[in-house]
Amino acid sequence: MKEKHFSLIKTFPLPKETIWSLLANNDHLNRMIGLFPVEFTKALFDDRLFYRHAKAKAAGVVPLSWKEYPFEWVKEERYVVQRVYTSGPLAEFNGGIELKDVSSPGNPATEVHVFSVFRPANALGKLALPVIALPTMKKTLSYIEKFINLHPSRIVTLPQPAMCSTANKQTLDNLLDKLPTSTLRDCLKEHLIQGADHTVVSMQPYKLADQWQEDREDVLHLFLEATKAGVLNLTWSLMCPNCRVAKEKESSLSQVKNEIHCDLCGISYQMTFDQSIELRFTVHPSIRKAVDQTYCIGGPILTPHILIQKRIAAGSTMHIPSIPMNEQLQLRILSSNHSAKIDQRASHEITYGENGLMGETFSLHNATFHNESENDIVLVIEEVKRDHYAVTAAKVTTMEPFRRLFSSEVLAKGQEIGIENVTILFSDLRGSTSLYEVAGDANAFRQVNDHFEFLSKWITHHNGSIIKTIGDSVMACFYAPEDALKAALSIQQSVESFNQSNQTNLIIKLGMYNGPAIAVTANNQLDYFGHTVNLAARIEQESKGSDVILPAEMLARPQLAQLIEPYPITTYEAKLNGIQAVIPLVRVEPLKITSYA
């Protein structure tokens, strides 16, 4: 049967980026315009391109099944999706949106073009199209109107679907009473009551913090405390580091495997705390039985780091749209995972053949892409930087509140997972042997324990956590090297005051190192092993006391170099015990006048 074309155009007083954030969030949009939940398979492959098989019931009655091919888009410009039906009254659908900036000075405006092309499979499909297509497209435009008319709120920022589960407010209030009264607690309460089902499942605290205009770390701490109180459940999303989509979810670190397979990328990956494991939160079922059904699996908002996604037929040539180079970008071919850096000084002729991309760098300025392979491919242009909303396992497992509240969150016995970057700080007491001889065992033991509390205060204050104590030494970990150095400087600046208050004369030695490590479970808690830990321990042995020793290479980070500017430093090379290479080191001798807030 012949194709049927439908088109609606309307202008709204909103900038393009706002309209895009609304309409590219297809999962939420489809709920709002009354479409139906869909069941998707994993990625499958045929002689054309990879796709996902989908099935649903229109209006809860008419069964439909189709092949859904990857969305194509240029961020904040347009998107389109193709569906080829295998059952039901339709044969094929192609539809999407186009946005055009029609703003005048001081008056933002965007022309929205909603379009769809249907090919009916039979007479029923032909008769149903006018009843289905235009009303659905009108609802899409109406959704934008609802957003414009939505009362400004930092709790609910999008229009909400009519059908949602309801919260047990009495249970919620009883559990929240375990937490200190605060504005943040009120924000969480209102979000759990007012949010749609899919917004209270798999929550990202940093994203909500930005929405609520609150401090990210404060919101993360609230979510941890709320989980311990029974308001929330934590979940570990296992992310493909390549396409950055969650492949599996686990309720405990002990269930996390060392390897994950991505059906779309066709590759298995070793888990890392930095890129593969992300902590998210879901409302506890005793408060709200929220079910997150899937309405769309491939919309642009699910992979916001992808700026362009284009399907390029076998043997064809396509012009690639130019886009601003505000971030470091790369070109990647979905499924085959061939990639190249984007460099505006490089060649603008891009060729893909049976052996992959012919070149390591390409320019997007007037770029032309030649697909000389035998298959259709999907090209993406994407930002290299990671998701700034993600709370990674690397981050959260270095936090004292997490380790205190969830000490049972450990890896399975024998499991080892890598961390790309962690900063390890070691401390020791100078002359501790003589301390026991002079002060006596009981008094010396008390002094050592008091000094542990002193160290813990500063380490925790600067977002670190004590992993373990070894005699009178401490091993601590930090997610950010800057926090480790701030903690070390604060300790040395404050030790004199500590000694005066406790009538002691302790001298503390400190050393640190930053690098990759292995996370394991030892003595029923998360611990770290590897070269970075060994080096940090050896560097601490270089300390004379009242100083901080760190490798010179860490000062390549401007933030660290800035932190030590006020203090006298000595640079030297040392042959560390058990380490073959000579290591350039820096000795920092903090003045006892400045304290870090």
Side-chain angles (χ1 to χ4, degrees):
M1 290 188 174
K2 291 183 180 180
E3 293 179 343
K4 298 290 184 180
H5 293 249
F6 301 89
S7 177
L8 290 176
I9 298 177
K10 189 172 183 178
T11 299
F12 296 92
L14 294 171
K16 270 203 312 183
E17 56 268 24
T18 301
I19 299 285
W20 177 262
S21 68
L22 291 172
L23 300 186
N25 189 350
N26 302 85
D27 190 75
H28 187 77
L29 172 64
N30 290 353
R31 298 167 194 264
M32 288 299 303
I33 63 179
L35 295 186
F36 31 80
V38 183
E39 295 180 27
F40 290 95
T41 67
K42 293 184 177 182
L44 304 170
F45 297 83
D46 62 13
D47 56 355
R48 298 182 62 193
L49 190 67
F50 66 87
Y51 65 93
R52 295 183 188 275
H53 196 79
K55 62 179 181 178
K57 286 188 177 181
V61 178
V62 181
L64 302 172
S65 65
W66 66 90
K67 293 180 179 180
E68 182 155 320
Y69 290 91
F71 272 71
E72 298 180 64
W73 69 83
V74 177
K75 188 174 182 179
E76 297 178 3
E77 298 290 338
R78 73 186 305 271
Y79 69 70
V80 64
V81 65
Q82 179 191 26
R83 293 176 171 178
V84 177
Y85 289 85
T86 54
S87 70
L90 300 177
E92 187 173 350
F93 162 80
N94 289 270
I97 65 163
E98 290 181 342
L99 306 181
K100 181 180 179 181
D101 186 1
V102 292
S103 303
S104 59
N107 297 297
T110 303
E111 180 184 276
V112 180
H113 178 200
V114 183
F115 59 89
S116 59
V117 180
F118 289 90
R119 184 161 55 87
N122 50 42
L124 175 61
K126 184 177 180 179
L127 291 173
L129 285 182
V131 180
I132 297 173
L134 283 176
T136 300
M137 295 165 66
K138 288 179 180 178
K139 288 179 182 178
T140 299
L141 298 179
S142 175
Y143 171 58
I144 303 175
E145 294 285 2
K146 289 180 179 179
F147 172 80
I148 294 173
N149 296 327
L150 182 69
H151 181 72
S153 168
R154 61 181 190 162
I155 305 303
V156 176
T157 58
L158 293 176
Q160 300 298 295
M163 299 297 293
C164 290
S165 61
T166 57
N168 185 326
K169 296 180 182 179
Q170 183 62 54
T171 300
L172 177 59
D173 285 338
N174 291 340
L175 294 175
L176 285 176
D177 282 344
K178 299 178 182 179
L179 306 179
T181 302
S182 68
T183 302
L184 282 184
R185 194 184 78 170
D186 295 340
C187 287
L188 176 60
K189 176 182 176 180
E190 293 307 308
H191 178 71
L192 295 181
I193 293 173
Q194 297 181 24
D197 280 11
H198 64 289
T199 67
V200 297
V201 175
S202 198
M203 292 178 284
Q204 293 179 289
Y206 284 173
K207 189 171 186 177
L208 287 171
D210 288 0
Q211 177 183 314
W212 298 344
Q213 300 176 1
E214 298 286 353
D215 181 80
R216 286 184 165 195
E217 298 306 317
D218 290 344
V219 173
L220 175 55
H221 286 194
L222 170 70
F223 273 59
L224 293 174
E225 296 284 356
T227 301
K228 193 66 176 179
V231 177
L232 307 175
N233 281 336
L234 58 81
T235 59
W236 299 97
S237 292
L238 309 186
M239 315 294 291
C240 170
N242 199 41
C243 62
R244 310 184 202 180
V245 173
K247 299 288 119 178
E248 297 179 20
K249 294 181 181 180
E250 301 291 358
S251 60
S252 170
L253 273 179
S254 63
Q255 298 171 328
V256 173
K257 303 171 186 175
N258 199 39
E259 187 176 85
I260 188 171
H261 181 79
C262 177
D263 59 311
L264 179 59
C265 297
I267 295 178
S268 294
Y269 294 94
Q270 292 292 314
M271 291 283 93
T272 68
F273 270 23
D274 311 76
Q275 295 191 33
S276 309
I277 308 176
E278 179 185 344
L279 179 61
R280 298 192 181 189
F281 298 84
T282 296
V283 64
H284 195 284
S286 66
I287 294 173
R288 183 171 169 180
K289 299 188 186 313
V291 178
D292 185 20
Q293 293 179 301
T294 301
Y295 285 71
C296 179
I297 201 170
I301 211 69
L302 294 176
T303 50
H305 63 286
I306 295 180
L307 309 182
I308 296 176
Q309 181 162 302
K310 299 284 288 183
R311 177 176 173 177
I312 304 177
S316 69
T317 295
M318 177 179 288
H319 173 73
I320 305 299
S322 296
I323 54 176
M325 285 286 293
N326 299 324
E327 302 285 349
Q328 184 180 354
L329 304 179
Q330 74 172 6
L331 179 156
R332 182 166 57 89
I333 308 300
L334 291 190
S335 185
S336 73
N337 300 306
H338 296 118
S339 63
K341 294 181 180 179
I342 300 299
D343 185 342
Q344 299 298 53
R345 298 165 296 179
S347 171
H348 61 270
E349 292 289 332
I350 309 171
T351 301
Y352 183 79
E354 296 304 323
N355 296 320
L357 290 164
M358 300 179 188
E360 297 181 354
T361 59
F362 298 103
S363 170
L364 287 181
H365 182 65
N366 293 323
T368 302
F369 192 100
H370 308 279
N371 180 12
E372 296 182 354
S373 72
E374 296 180 354
N375 298 309
D376 291 6
I377 62 171
V378 176
L379 160 81
V380 301
I381 307 296
E382 61 188 354
E383 296 175 346
V384 175
K385 69 178 182 181
R386 311 309 300 179
D387 180 7
H388 67 289
Y389 291 133
V391 177
T392 65
K395 159 72 176 179
V396 75
T397 55
T398 61
M399 294 173 55
E400 187 278 336
F402 176 82
R403 298 180 73 96
R404 169 172 49 83
L405 294 171
F406 303 99
S407 58
S408 61
E409 277 295 313
V410 295
L411 297 172
K413 185 177 180 181
Q415 181 76 293
E416 299 177 357
I417 294 183
I419 303 177
E420 294 180 1
N421 274 290
V422 64
T423 302
I424 301 296
L425 173 71
F426 273 95
S427 77
D428 197 7
L429 283 177
R430 194 178 81 180
S432 59
T433 301
S434 60
L435 172 65
Y436 280 87
E437 293 178 355
V438 174
D441 288 348
N443 191 26
F445 181 76
R446 177 189 59 78
Q447 291 185 37
V448 170
N449 277 341
D450 288 344
H451 122 279
F452 283 153
E453 293 182 8
F454 166 72
L455 293 177
S456 178
K457 180 187 77 171
W458 287 113
I459 289 168
T460 302
H461 181 71
H462 290 293
N463 305 311
S465 179
I466 291 180
I467 303 300
K468 57 188 174 185
T469 60
I470 310 163
D472 50 24
S473 301
V474 158
M475 173 184 166
C477 63
F478 296 81
Y479 180 68
E482 296 79 15
D483 287 338
L485 183 54
K486 286 180 181 180
L489 294 173
S490 295
I491 288 168
Q492 297 296 27
Q493 291 160 1
S494 306
V495 70
E496 183 176 337
S497 175
F498 168 81
N499 281 331
Q500 291 175 353
S501 300
N502 292 273
Q503 298 182 342
T504 56
N505 189 30
L506 302 182
I507 299 175
I508 298 175
K509 301 163 60 180
L510 294 172
M512 69 179 66
Y513 192 77
N514 169 263
I518 298 295
V520 300
T521 297
N523 298 318
N524 296 318
Q525 66 177 8
L526 278 177
D527 203 343
Y528 301 97
F529 289 90
H531 185 65
T532 294
V533 178
N534 292 337
L535 268 176
R538 300 297 187 272
I539 288 173
E540 178 273 314
Q541 293 172 3
E542 286 289 307
S543 173
K544 298 176 181 178
S546 301
D547 55 4
V548 180
I549 310 296
L550 65 156
E553 65 185 46
M554 288 181 68
L555 298 186
R557 297 173 67 100
Q559 302 96 321
L560 293 180
Q562 185 177 4
L563 283 173
I564 67 170
E565 276 184 2
Y567 310 112
I569 65 170
T570 304
T571 58
Y572 67 103
E573 293 185 341
K575 183 71 171 66
L576 304 179
N577 184 29
I579 306 297
Q580 291 186 352
V582 175
I583 307 296
L585 298 175
V586 175
R587 184 188 308 278
V588 185
E589 300 180 82
L591 304 176
K592 300 173 182 178
I593 55 174
T594 305
S595 180
Y596 288 93

